[in-house]
Structure formats: structure tokens, C-alpha cells
Amino acid sequence: MKQLKALFFLAGAIGSSLAVTAVGQAVPALFSTLQASPAISDAEQTAQILGLAARMKQLSNLQGRRPCGSPVTTEELILRQELSESIQAAALDVDSVVAETNNEQGELANLRTRLQVNRDKTVAKYNTAALITGSGAGAAVSATQFTNLGSRANNIGDGFGIGAGVASTIFSVIATRKQNGPQGTVGEVPNMLAPLFDRKPVLNTFYPPVVLRYLQIAPANENPPDRTRLEELKAQWTRAGRLDPSQASRHHDIAPLTSSADPAVKVTIQDLTNRIAMLVDVSGRVSLMKRDLAVLMRSMGDSNRCPVAPIAP
């Protein structure tokens, strides 16, 4: 029995050794050892956007020629460092876009809050006027209905009641119309939606070329590629009613979404709500690029190429 266990142990050790040797002598393709997922193809696309595809392949070839467990060569270390710096720079570019969109969202949210406060005060004032007019008129009309006051007093009370009812209705209608709130102007804030609609950017509004290119191409996992990431965003905004689907009114709709320090452009609470929501969508879509950058970083490690040998029982 002991001899049989020894034979099994020896066979397992030999098999593990052969497997490790085979992996070390193979030349793995880019991302071939990572878990298959749609993010892998997007990461390969991102590597092409950054101009890193050729150097990633070169690093893969260097790692493939080096046996597992052997020291890393100087050439490989230099290449890894160059790739890491490029990937980190791209990640900072993504962070800069997200930071600017967050900054704009904060400024717009403050303006929206001020408009909402003014709206609530105005609506409350008209609702109070409608309530006072209606209840007060009802009491006055009831007081004139006593028979000992005469028919003339009754007629006066009826007329007063009708007038008060009309006034109360008018106040209620005005309160309803004021629900949309007042209009305001956007101050000096970035307009991060402007470059996406071919409008003039102001202040710190800027999309690094790699980030803009990421938005302007279709996701790699779509087959066939239908729409770019930016086109998908615009289609999503149209379905949500944030953009008018007709081209005739599109220019009018875009002005409140891309204005900055322009007193001629008036915005409503709904305009600000749409603009903030669209900025959130842009920030989320751009942030997905960091997922691809993380895949690129993991693909450069030796752990993907040289698996750990199983521990013998």
C-alpha cells in the first residue's frame, strides 16, 4: 500500500513538473491566460487606443521566452515600467474628466436648489391665498344667508361668494403653473457636455484625446458594431426624454445643456435636472475605461503565465 502511494506521488510530481515546463516555454498571446469575459476584448481595444498593443505583445514575447521562476530581464523591467506609466497616465486622464463632471454637477445642483426654494415659496404663497380666499368667502357667504338680513344681503353674499370662488380658482391655477419654477442663468461653470455636441468648451472643459477616442468608437464586444459609446449615450438620453429626437428642435434643447456664463440662455429646474443626469451618465461611461486599464495592468504580471504547482498530498 505504501509503495502504491509512493508511485502516485511520483507520477503527480513528474506531471506537475512537465506542465510548468511547458507553460514556461510557450509564448502566450495577449490576455490569453486571463479569464475570458467581454472586458478582455474592450481592454485590447483600449490598448490600441493608447498605442500600447505592440509593446504589450513585445512584453508577452519576452515573458514567454523566459522560463518560469527565472529572474526578470532588464529589457522586460524597462518595458513593464513604460507600460505602467502609460496606463497610469490614462487612468489620471479618466479621473480628470470625472472630476470636472463632478464639479459641474455640484455647481448646477446648487443653482437647482435655489430655484426649487424660490418655487416652493411662490407655490406656497398662492396655495395659501387660494385657501384663505375659499374658506373666508365661505364663512362670509354663510353669514349673509340669515333670513332676517333680507334678500339684498343674500344677493350681496352670493355675489361675494362667486367672486371669491373665482379668485380662489385663479390662485390655484397660478400655483399649478408655478410648479415648473422660475428660470435662472448658469454661472461660470465647466460645460462638459459641450464637446460631445460640437459646442465651444469653456473654462477647464477638456477631454484628453484617449478618453474622447474611447467615447467615439463602438465597444469591442458588440458584433457587429452598431453605435459608438457616445451614440449610445445620446440614444439613451433621447429615450429618457432628455433630448428631443427631432433635429429641428435639437439646437434649442442643447443650449441649456451646454451654456456657461451666458445671460441670454435661461434654464429651468427641469433643464438642470436633465443636465446633471447626463453628466452622471458621461462620468459612468468614461469610468468604465479604468476597468479596461486594470485588465491591462493584470495582464503584465508573471502570475498569469506561471501557475503555482499543486501541493503534493
mmCIF file with all atom_site columns, all heavy atoms in Angstrom, residues 170-191:
data_model
loop_
_atom_site.group_PDB
_atom_site.id
_atom_site.type_symbol
_atom_site.label_atom_id
_atom_site.label_alt_id
_atom_site.label_comp_id
_atom_site.label_asym_id
_atom_site.label_entity_id
_atom_site.label_seq_id
_atom_site.pdbx_PDB_ins_code
_atom_site.Cartn_x
_atom_site.Cartn_y
_atom_site.Cartn_z
_atom_site.occupancy
_atom_site.B_iso_or_equiv
_atom_site.pdbx_formal_charge
_atom_site.auth_seq_id
_atom_site.auth_comp_id
_atom_site.auth_asym_id
_atom_site.auth_atom_id
_atom_site.pdbx_PDB_model_num
ATOM 1   N N   . ILE A 1 170 ? -58.379 81.023 -9.475  1.00 0.00 ? 170 ILE A N   1
ATOM 2   C CA  . ILE A 1 170 ? -57.250 81.663 -10.159 1.00 0.00 ? 170 ILE A CA  1
ATOM 3   C C   . ILE A 1 170 ? -55.953 81.438 -9.397  1.00 0.00 ? 170 ILE A C   1
ATOM 4   O O   . ILE A 1 170 ? -54.911 81.114 -9.977  1.00 0.00 ? 170 ILE A O   1
ATOM 5   C CB  . ILE A 1 170 ? -57.526 83.167 -10.348 1.00 0.00 ? 170 ILE A CB  1
ATOM 6   C CG1 . ILE A 1 170 ? -58.680 83.377 -11.341 1.00 0.00 ? 170 ILE A CG1 1
ATOM 7   C CG2 . ILE A 1 170 ? -56.276 83.886 -10.830 1.00 0.00 ? 170 ILE A CG2 1
ATOM 8   C CD1 . ILE A 1 170 ? -59.099 84.822 -11.495 1.00 0.00 ? 170 ILE A CD1 1
ATOM 9   N N   . PHE A 1 171 ? -56.017 81.609 -8.075  1.00 0.00 ? 171 PHE A N   1
ATOM 10  C CA  . PHE A 1 171 ? -54.811 81.383 -7.264  1.00 0.00 ? 171 PHE A CA  1
ATOM 11  C C   . PHE A 1 171 ? -54.334 79.933 -7.393  1.00 0.00 ? 171 PHE A C   1
ATOM 12  O O   . PHE A 1 171 ? -53.125 79.671 -7.458  1.00 0.00 ? 171 PHE A O   1
ATOM 13  C CB  . PHE A 1 171 ? -55.094 81.713 -5.799  1.00 0.00 ? 171 PHE A CB  1
ATOM 14  C CG  . PHE A 1 171 ? -55.175 83.183 -5.507  1.00 0.00 ? 171 PHE A CG  1
ATOM 15  C CD1 . PHE A 1 171 ? -56.152 83.691 -4.655  1.00 0.00 ? 171 PHE A CD1 1
ATOM 16  C CD2 . PHE A 1 171 ? -54.284 84.071 -6.083  1.00 0.00 ? 171 PHE A CD2 1
ATOM 17  C CE1 . PHE A 1 171 ? -56.228 85.043 -4.385  1.00 0.00 ? 171 PHE A CE1 1
ATOM 18  C CE2 . PHE A 1 171 ? -54.347 85.442 -5.813  1.00 0.00 ? 171 PHE A CE2 1
ATOM 19  C CZ  . PHE A 1 171 ? -55.339 85.926 -4.968  1.00 0.00 ? 171 PHE A CZ  1
ATOM 20  N N   . SER A 1 172 ? -55.260 78.991 -7.430  1.00 0.00 ? 172 SER A N   1
ATOM 21  C CA  . SER A 1 172 ? -54.883 77.578 -7.555  1.00 0.00 ? 172 SER A CA  1
ATOM 22  C C   . SER A 1 172 ? -54.250 77.296 -8.910  1.00 0.00 ? 172 SER A C   1
ATOM 23  O O   . SER A 1 172 ? -53.270 76.548 -9.010  1.00 0.00 ? 172 SER A O   1
ATOM 24  C CB  . SER A 1 172 ? -56.122 76.692 -7.364  1.00 0.00 ? 172 SER A CB  1
ATOM 25  O OG  . SER A 1 172 ? -56.667 76.856 -6.068  1.00 0.00 ? 172 SER A OG  1
ATOM 26  N N   . VAL A 1 173 ? -54.817 77.910 -9.961  1.00 0.00 ? 173 VAL A N   1
ATOM 27  C CA  . VAL A 1 173 ? -54.244 77.721 -11.304 1.00 0.00 ? 173 VAL A CA  1
ATOM 28  C C   . VAL A 1 173 ? -52.844 78.307 -11.374 1.00 0.00 ? 173 VAL A C   1
ATOM 29  O O   . VAL A 1 173 ? -51.916 77.704 -11.941 1.00 0.00 ? 173 VAL A O   1
ATOM 30  C CB  . VAL A 1 173 ? -55.166 78.354 -12.362 1.00 0.00 ? 173 VAL A CB  1
ATOM 31  C CG1 . VAL A 1 173 ? -54.488 78.369 -13.726 1.00 0.00 ? 173 VAL A CG1 1
ATOM 32  C CG2 . VAL A 1 173 ? -56.484 77.601 -12.441 1.00 0.00 ? 173 VAL A CG2 1
ATOM 33  N N   . ILE A 1 174 ? -52.665 79.491 -10.782 1.00 0.00 ? 174 ILE A N   1
ATOM 34  C CA  . ILE A 1 174 ? -51.336 80.114 -10.784 1.00 0.00 ? 174 ILE A CA  1
ATOM 35  C C   . ILE A 1 174 ? -50.339 79.241 -10.020 1.00 0.00 ? 174 ILE A C   1
ATOM 36  O O   . ILE A 1 174 ? -49.185 79.057 -10.455 1.00 0.00 ? 174 ILE A O   1
ATOM 37  C CB  . ILE A 1 174 ? -51.407 81.522 -10.174 1.00 0.00 ? 174 ILE A CB  1
ATOM 38  C CG1 . ILE A 1 174 ? -52.235 82.445 -11.068 1.00 0.00 ? 174 ILE A CG1 1
ATOM 39  C CG2 . ILE A 1 174 ? -50.005 82.101 -9.992  1.00 0.00 ? 174 ILE A CG2 1
ATOM 40  C CD1 . ILE A 1 174 ? -52.444 83.827 -10.484 1.00 0.00 ? 174 ILE A CD1 1
ATOM 41  N N   . ALA A 1 175 ? -50.762 78.696 -8.882  1.00 0.00 ? 175 ALA A N   1
ATOM 42  C CA  . ALA A 1 175 ? -49.871 77.823 -8.099  1.00 0.00 ? 175 ALA A CA  1
ATOM 43  C C   . ALA A 1 175 ? -49.463 76.601 -8.905  1.00 0.00 ? 175 ALA A C   1
ATOM 44  O O   . ALA A 1 175 ? -48.309 76.155 -8.853  1.00 0.00 ? 175 ALA A O   1
ATOM 45  C CB  . ALA A 1 175 ? -50.557 77.408 -6.806  1.00 0.00 ? 175 ALA A CB  1
ATOM 46  N N   . THR A 1 176 ? -50.409 76.067 -9.688  1.00 0.00 ? 176 THR A N   1
ATOM 47  C CA  . THR A 1 176 ? -50.087 74.905 -10.522 1.00 0.00 ? 176 THR A CA  1
ATOM 48  C C   . THR A 1 176 ? -49.092 75.262 -11.609 1.00 0.00 ? 176 THR A C   1
ATOM 49  O O   . THR A 1 176 ? -48.148 74.511 -11.883 1.00 0.00 ? 176 THR A O   1
ATOM 50  C CB  . THR A 1 176 ? -51.376 74.346 -11.150 1.00 0.00 ? 176 THR A CB  1
ATOM 51  O OG1 . THR A 1 176 ? -52.295 73.987 -10.104 1.00 0.00 ? 176 THR A OG1 1
ATOM 52  C CG2 . THR A 1 176 ? -51.074 73.125 -11.994 1.00 0.00 ? 176 THR A CG2 1
ATOM 53  N N   . ARG A 1 177 ? -49.279 76.419 -12.212 1.00 0.00 ? 177 ARG A N   1
ATOM 54  C CA  . ARG A 1 177 ? -48.366 76.853 -13.284 1.00 0.00 ? 177 ARG A CA  1
ATOM 55  C C   . ARG A 1 177 ? -46.978 77.166 -12.744 1.00 0.00 ? 177 ARG A C   1
ATOM 56  O O   . ARG A 1 177 ? -45.976 77.038 -13.460 1.00 0.00 ? 177 ARG A O   1
ATOM 57  C CB  . ARG A 1 177 ? -48.936 78.070 -13.993 1.00 0.00 ? 177 ARG A CB  1
ATOM 58  C CG  . ARG A 1 177 ? -50.218 77.782 -14.771 1.00 0.00 ? 177 ARG A CG  1
ATOM 59  C CD  . ARG A 1 177 ? -50.807 79.071 -15.338 1.00 0.00 ? 177 ARG A CD  1
ATOM 60  N NE  . ARG A 1 177 ? -49.918 79.682 -16.300 1.00 0.00 ? 177 ARG A NE  1
ATOM 61  C CZ  . ARG A 1 177 ? -49.908 79.433 -17.607 1.00 0.00 ? 177 ARG A CZ  1
ATOM 62  N NH1 . ARG A 1 177 ? -50.775 78.553 -18.105 1.00 0.00 ? 177 ARG A NH1 1
ATOM 63  N NH2 . ARG A 1 177 ? -49.077 80.045 -18.421 1.00 0.00 ? 177 ARG A NH2 1
ATOM 64  N N   . LYS A 1 178 ? -46.908 77.559 -11.484 1.00 0.00 ? 178 LYS A N   1
ATOM 65  C CA  . LYS A 1 178 ? -45.613 77.895 -10.887 1.00 0.00 ? 178 LYS A CA  1
ATOM 66  C C   . LYS A 1 178 ? -44.843 76.652 -10.448 1.00 0.00 ? 178 LYS A C   1
ATOM 67  O O   . LYS A 1 178 ? -43.709 76.776 -9.972  1.00 0.00 ? 178 LYS A O   1
ATOM 68  C CB  . LYS A 1 178 ? -45.817 78.808 -9.677  1.00 0.00 ? 178 LYS A CB  1
ATOM 69  C CG  . LYS A 1 178 ? -46.332 80.197 -10.020 1.00 0.00 ? 178 LYS A CG  1
ATOM 70  C CD  . LYS A 1 178 ? -45.327 80.995 -10.829 1.00 0.00 ? 178 LYS A CD  1
ATOM 71  C CE  . LYS A 1 178 ? -45.828 82.410 -11.096 1.00 0.00 ? 178 LYS A CE  1
ATOM 72  N NZ  . LYS A 1 178 ? -44.849 83.208 -11.881 1.00 0.00 ? 178 LYS A NZ  1
ATOM 73  N N   . GLN A 1 179 ? -45.416 75.469 -10.632 1.00 0.00 ? 179 GLN A N   1
ATOM 74  C CA  . GLN A 1 179 ? -44.720 74.250 -10.249 1.00 0.00 ? 179 GLN A CA  1
ATOM 75  C C   . GLN A 1 179 ? -43.438 74.048 -11.051 1.00 0.00 ? 179 GLN A C   1
ATOM 76  O O   . GLN A 1 179 ? -42.503 73.392 -10.585 1.00 0.00 ? 179 GLN A O   1
ATOM 77  C CB  . GLN A 1 179 ? -45.640 73.036 -10.437 1.00 0.00 ? 179 GLN A CB  1
ATOM 78  C CG  . GLN A 1 179 ? -46.760 72.929 -9.416  1.00 0.00 ? 179 GLN A CG  1
ATOM 79  C CD  . GLN A 1 179 ? -46.266 72.565 -8.036  1.00 0.00 ? 179 GLN A CD  1
ATOM 80  O OE1 . GLN A 1 179 ? -45.143 72.086 -7.861  1.00 0.00 ? 179 GLN A OE1 1
ATOM 81  N NE2 . GLN A 1 179 ? -47.093 72.792 -7.026  1.00 0.00 ? 179 GLN A NE2 1
ATOM 82  N N   . ASN A 1 180 ? -43.391 74.580 -12.255 1.00 0.00 ? 180 ASN A N   1
ATOM 83  C CA  . ASN A 1 180 ? -42.179 74.451 -13.078 1.00 0.00 ? 180 ASN A CA  1
ATOM 84  C C   . ASN A 1 180 ? -41.028 75.279 -12.523 1.00 0.00 ? 180 ASN A C   1
ATOM 85  O O   . ASN A 1 180 ? -39.870 75.027 -12.868 1.00 0.00 ? 180 ASN A O   1
ATOM 86  C CB  . ASN A 1 180 ? -42.467 74.867 -14.511 1.00 0.00 ? 180 ASN A CB  1
ATOM 87  C CG  . ASN A 1 180 ? -43.419 73.916 -15.211 1.00 0.00 ? 180 ASN A CG  1
ATOM 88  O OD1 . ASN A 1 180 ? -43.453 72.727 -14.893 1.00 0.00 ? 180 ASN A OD1 1
ATOM 89  N ND2 . ASN A 1 180 ? -44.207 74.436 -16.135 1.00 0.00 ? 180 ASN A ND2 1
ATOM 90  N N   . GLY A 1 181 ? -41.358 76.253 -11.675 1.00 0.00 ? 181 GLY A N   1
ATOM 91  C CA  . GLY A 1 181 ? -40.314 77.043 -11.047 1.00 0.00 ? 181 GLY A CA  1
ATOM 92  C C   . GLY A 1 181 ? -39.832 78.196 -11.910 1.00 0.00 ? 181 GLY A C   1
ATOM 93  O O   . GLY A 1 181 ? -40.123 78.255 -13.113 1.00 0.00 ? 181 GLY A O   1
ATOM 94  N N   . PRO A 1 182 ? -39.047 79.085 -11.331 1.00 0.00 ? 182 PRO A N   1
ATOM 95  C CA  . PRO A 1 182 ? -38.515 80.211 -12.093 1.00 0.00 ? 182 PRO A CA  1
ATOM 96  C C   . PRO A 1 182 ? -37.345 79.786 -12.975 1.00 0.00 ? 182 PRO A C   1
ATOM 97  O O   . PRO A 1 182 ? -36.847 78.668 -12.868 1.00 0.00 ? 182 PRO A O   1
ATOM 98  C CB  . PRO A 1 182 ? -38.049 81.172 -10.995 1.00 0.00 ? 182 PRO A CB  1
ATOM 99  C CG  . PRO A 1 182 ? -37.673 80.271 -9.857  1.00 0.00 ? 182 PRO A CG  1
ATOM 100 C CD  . PRO A 1 182 ? -38.645 79.121 -9.909  1.00 0.00 ? 182 PRO A CD  1
ATOM 101 N N   . GLN A 1 183 ? -36.937 80.672 -13.834 1.00 0.00 ? 183 GLN A N   1
ATOM 102 C CA  . GLN A 1 183 ? -35.778 80.431 -14.682 1.00 0.00 ? 183 GLN A CA  1
ATOM 103 C C   . GLN A 1 183 ? -34.560 81.141 -14.103 1.00 0.00 ? 183 GLN A C   1
ATOM 104 O O   . GLN A 1 183 ? -34.672 82.139 -13.389 1.00 0.00 ? 183 GLN A O   1
ATOM 105 C CB  . GLN A 1 183 ? -36.045 80.921 -16.108 1.00 0.00 ? 183 GLN A CB  1
ATOM 106 C CG  . GLN A 1 183 ? -37.101 80.128 -16.842 1.00 0.00 ? 183 GLN A CG  1
ATOM 107 C CD  . GLN A 1 183 ? -37.269 80.582 -18.271 1.00 0.00 ? 183 GLN A CD  1
ATOM 108 O OE1 . GLN A 1 183 ? -37.018 81.742 -18.609 1.00 0.00 ? 183 GLN A OE1 1
ATOM 109 N NE2 . GLN A 1 183 ? -37.690 79.678 -19.136 1.00 0.00 ? 183 GLN A NE2 1
ATOM 110 N N   . GLY A 1 184 ? -33.400 80.608 -14.418 1.00 0.00 ? 184 GLY A N   1
ATOM 111 C CA  . GLY A 1 184 ? -32.148 81.202 -13.964 1.00 0.00 ? 184 GLY A CA  1
ATOM 112 C C   . GLY A 1 184 ? -31.090 81.102 -15.036 1.00 0.00 ? 184 GLY A C   1
ATOM 113 O O   . GLY A 1 184 ? -31.339 80.587 -16.139 1.00 0.00 ? 184 GLY A O   1
ATOM 114 N N   . THR A 1 185 ? -29.922 81.604 -14.743 1.00 0.00 ? 185 THR A N   1
ATOM 115 C CA  . THR A 1 185 ? -28.794 81.536 -15.675 1.00 0.00 ? 185 THR A CA  1
ATOM 116 C C   . THR A 1 185 ? -27.649 80.784 -15.018 1.00 0.00 ? 185 THR A C   1
ATOM 117 O O   . THR A 1 185 ? -27.402 80.924 -13.824 1.00 0.00 ? 185 THR A O   1
ATOM 118 C CB  . THR A 1 185 ? -28.318 82.944 -16.082 1.00 0.00 ? 185 THR A CB  1
ATOM 119 O OG1 . THR A 1 185 ? -27.976 83.679 -14.897 1.00 0.00 ? 185 THR A OG1 1
ATOM 120 C CG2 . THR A 1 185 ? -29.409 83.681 -16.834 1.00 0.00 ? 185 THR A CG2 1
ATOM 121 N N   . VAL A 1 186 ? -26.982 79.983 -15.802 1.00 0.00 ? 186 VAL A N   1
ATOM 122 C CA  . VAL A 1 186 ? -25.837 79.219 -15.310 1.00 0.00 ? 186 VAL A CA  1
ATOM 123 C C   . VAL A 1 186 ? -24.631 80.143 -15.233 1.00 0.00 ? 186 VAL A C   1
ATOM 124 O O   . VAL A 1 186 ? -24.320 80.860 -16.182 1.00 0.00 ? 186 VAL A O   1
ATOM 125 C CB  . VAL A 1 186 ? -25.545 78.028 -16.236 1.00 0.00 ? 186 VAL A CB  1
ATOM 126 C CG1 . VAL A 1 186 ? -24.312 77.264 -15.750 1.00 0.00 ? 186 VAL A CG1 1
ATOM 127 C CG2 . VAL A 1 186 ? -26.749 77.102 -16.299 1.00 0.00 ? 186 VAL A CG2 1
ATOM 128 N N   . GLY A 1 187 ? -23.959 80.130 -14.090 1.00 0.00 ? 187 GLY A N   1
ATOM 129 C CA  . GLY A 1 187 ? -22.775 80.963 -13.910 1.00 0.00 ? 187 GLY A CA  1
ATOM 130 C C   . GLY A 1 187 ? -21.553 80.377 -14.591 1.00 0.00 ? 187 GLY A C   1
ATOM 131 O O   . GLY A 1 187 ? -21.654 79.547 -15.509 1.00 0.00 ? 187 GLY A O   1
ATOM 132 N N   . GLU A 1 188 ? -20.389 80.785 -14.142 1.00 0.00 ? 188 GLU A N   1
ATOM 133 C CA  . GLU A 1 188 ? -19.137 80.321 -14.734 1.00 0.00 ? 188 GLU A CA  1
ATOM 134 C C   . GLU A 1 188 ? -18.818 78.918 -14.213 1.00 0.00 ? 188 GLU A C   1
ATOM 135 O O   . GLU A 1 188 ? -18.193 78.748 -13.175 1.00 0.00 ? 188 GLU A O   1
ATOM 136 C CB  . GLU A 1 188 ? -18.003 81.293 -14.407 1.00 0.00 ? 188 GLU A CB  1
ATOM 137 C CG  . GLU A 1 188 ? -18.160 82.660 -15.066 1.00 0.00 ? 188 GLU A CG  1
ATOM 138 C CD  . GLU A 1 188 ? -16.958 83.549 -14.839 1.00 0.00 ? 188 GLU A CD  1
ATOM 139 O OE1 . GLU A 1 188 ? -16.048 83.132 -14.097 1.00 0.00 ? 188 GLU A OE1 1
ATOM 140 O OE2 . GLU A 1 188 ? -16.918 84.658 -15.389 1.00 0.00 ? 188 GLU A OE2 1
ATOM 141 N N   . VAL A 1 189 ? -19.263 77.948 -14.949 1.00 0.00 ? 189 VAL A N   1
ATOM 142 C CA  . VAL A 1 189 ? -19.020 76.545 -14.614 1.00 0.00 ? 189 VAL A CA  1
ATOM 143 C C   . VAL A 1 189 ? -18.524 75.847 -15.875 1.00 0.00 ? 189 VAL A C   1
ATOM 144 O O   . VAL A 1 189 ? -18.747 76.323 -16.991 1.00 0.00 ? 189 VAL A O   1
ATOM 145 C CB  . VAL A 1 189 ? -20.298 75.851 -14.096 1.00 0.00 ? 189 VAL A CB  1
ATOM 146 C CG1 . VAL A 1 189 ? -20.791 76.512 -12.826 1.00 0.00 ? 189 VAL A CG1 1
ATOM 147 C CG2 . VAL A 1 189 ? -21.383 75.855 -15.159 1.00 0.00 ? 189 VAL A CG2 1
ATOM 148 N N   . PRO A 1 190 ? -17.846 74.716 -15.740 1.00 0.00 ? 190 PRO A N   1
ATOM 149 C CA  . PRO A 1 190 ? -17.469 73.953 -16.934 1.00 0.00 ? 190 PRO A CA  1
ATOM 150 C C   . PRO A 1 190 ? -18.723 73.487 -17.676 1.00 0.00 ? 190 PRO A C   1
ATOM 151 O O   . PRO A 1 190 ? -19.798 73.352 -17.088 1.00 0.00 ? 190 PRO A O   1
ATOM 152 C CB  . PRO A 1 190 ? -16.688 72.765 -16.363 1.00 0.00 ? 190 PRO A CB  1
ATOM 153 C CG  . PRO A 1 190 ? -16.278 73.180 -14.997 1.00 0.00 ? 190 PRO A CG  1
ATOM 154 C CD  . PRO A 1 190 ? -17.329 74.104 -14.496 1.00 0.00 ? 190 PRO A CD  1
ATOM 155 N N   . ASN A 1 191 ? -18.580 73.256 -18.957 1.00 0.00 ? 191 ASN A N   1
ATOM 156 C CA  . ASN A 1 191 ? -19.691 72.711 -19.745 1.00 0.00 ? 191 ASN A CA  1
ATOM 157 C C   . ASN A 1 191 ? -19.210 71.445 -20.441 1.00 0.00 ? 191 ASN A C   1
ATOM 158 O O   . ASN A 1 191 ? -18.961 71.408 -21.639 1.00 0.00 ? 191 ASN A O   1
ATOM 159 C CB  . ASN A 1 191 ? -20.222 73.736 -20.752 1.00 0.00 ? 191 ASN A CB  1
ATOM 160 C CG  . ASN A 1 191 ? -19.142 74.271 -21.673 1.00 0.00 ? 191 ASN A CG  1
ATOM 161 O OD1 . ASN A 1 191 ? -17.948 74.071 -21.450 1.00 0.00 ? 191 ASN A OD1 1
ATOM 162 N ND2 . ASN A 1 191 ? -19.551 74.933 -22.733 1.00 0.00 ? 191 ASN A ND2 1
#
